[in-house]
Amino acid sequence: MAKRKRNLLIILGAAVVILLVAVAMIVVPILTHKSGGSSGQTAPDDFVTEVTATGDDGRTRTLRATDLAGKPVDMGNLRPGDTLRVEGEGFDASNGIYVSFCKVPTDPTVKPGPCLGGIPENAQEEKDERDRADPLESAWITNNWAWRSFASHQYLDVKAGTFRVELVVPPASSEGVDCSVDACGLFTRADHTAPGDRVQDVFLPIRVE
């Protein structure tokens, strides 16, 4: 009996250690993350469909938006229900990003927001089903092992930092922002694992009618 109890305690102790290690592997990178600096983007003067910026981390990021046929769209005349194909390259795939419609901050060192549509709460669909799923109002892209099952997408090519998502334009006003009046953009920004890091903040100016 004593031997059985000892073995049970050893198993329970090992389980606790494994759990603590797993938690540490998730929490420590968040607490110790160092900002990569600025994305280097200069705010466009017009409603463009593609921007490129070289960040303080030396990576050149490109963000573009088209309709589902790959044709240009009028980013200054978006309507709720419009669907955009959003593509990016050059992003740091070691860090997750949100892709969403947000208010442009007056201070570029501040996280973009508030954002229309919030943060996607659905986990990834089965791979066979994902392509047939309804477009989201925002996307969460990550290849981090601890979070990717909760995100909506993964990077297509980790080395190249590429992604592609389809987003449906949400109503112009919610969460304290009105993108028919306020300066807004279709943004990429660091996810919750690096909320103070602005190096992946790239945007296309938008207006939602």
Side-chain angles (χ1 to χ4, degrees):
M1 181 66 72
K3 184 177 180 180
R4 184 177 297 175
K5 281 187 175 181
R6 186 168 61 252
N7 289 341
L8 180 59
L9 288 174
I10 290 173
I11 293 172
L12 289 175
V16 170
V17 170
I18 292 172
L19 178 61
L20 290 176
V21 169
V23 170
M25 290 177 67
I26 295 172
V27 174
V28 171
I30 296 175
L31 297 178
T32 59
H33 179 83
K34 293 183 179 180
S35 173
S38 166
S39 70
Q41 182 182 2
T42 301
D45 295 327
D46 203 356
F47 294 104
V48 297
T49 56
E50 181 174 320
V51 291
T52 298
T54 301
D56 288 341
D57 61 354
R59 300 183 70 97
T60 298
R61 295 169 174 84
T62 298
L63 178 68
R64 69 180 64 87
T66 65
D67 65 14
L68 296 184
K71 297 179 179 179
V73 293
D74 184 355
M75 301 295 281
N77 189 33
L78 297 178
R79 298 181 182 278
D82 288 347
T83 302
L84 303 179
R85 177 176 295 159
V86 185
E87 298 176 303
E89 58 190 56
F91 287 78
D92 182 357
S94 67
N95 294 315
I97 56 173
Y98 296 129
V99 185
S100 49
F101 302 90
C102 305
K103 185 175 182 179
V104 179
T106 54
D107 181 350
T109 66
V110 174
K111 178 174 66 176
C115 300
L116 303 176
I119 295 171
E121 297 178 352
N122 62 302
Q124 290 191 20
E125 302 287 343
E126 294 289 336
K127 292 187 183 297
D128 310 358
E129 299 293 332
R130 196 184 319 152
D131 290 338
R132 296 197 296 269
D134 292 334
L136 304 169
E137 293 181 347
S138 59
W140 176 13
I141 302 167
T142 185
N143 286 58
N144 186 300
W145 66 270
W147 303 107
R148 62 189 178 192
S149 62
F150 300 98
S152 59
H153 296 77
Q154 294 183 30
Y155 287 97
L156 298 175
D157 184 319
V158 170
K159 185 176 180 180
T162 58
F163 69 85
R164 181 174 62 250
V165 300
E166 292 179 5
L167 297 183
V168 62
V169 178
S173 178
S174 71
E175 305 293 337
V177 59
D178 185 345
C179 287
S180 68
V181 178
D182 300 324
C184 291
L186 173 55
F187 272 91
T188 60
R189 61 184 178 93
D191 68 9
H192 64 281
T193 64
D197 198 340
R198 307 273 60 85
V199 76
Q200 305 240 69
D201 289 1
V202 182
F203 77 99
L204 300 167
I206 63 162
R207 179 178 294 124
V208 182
E209 298 299 331

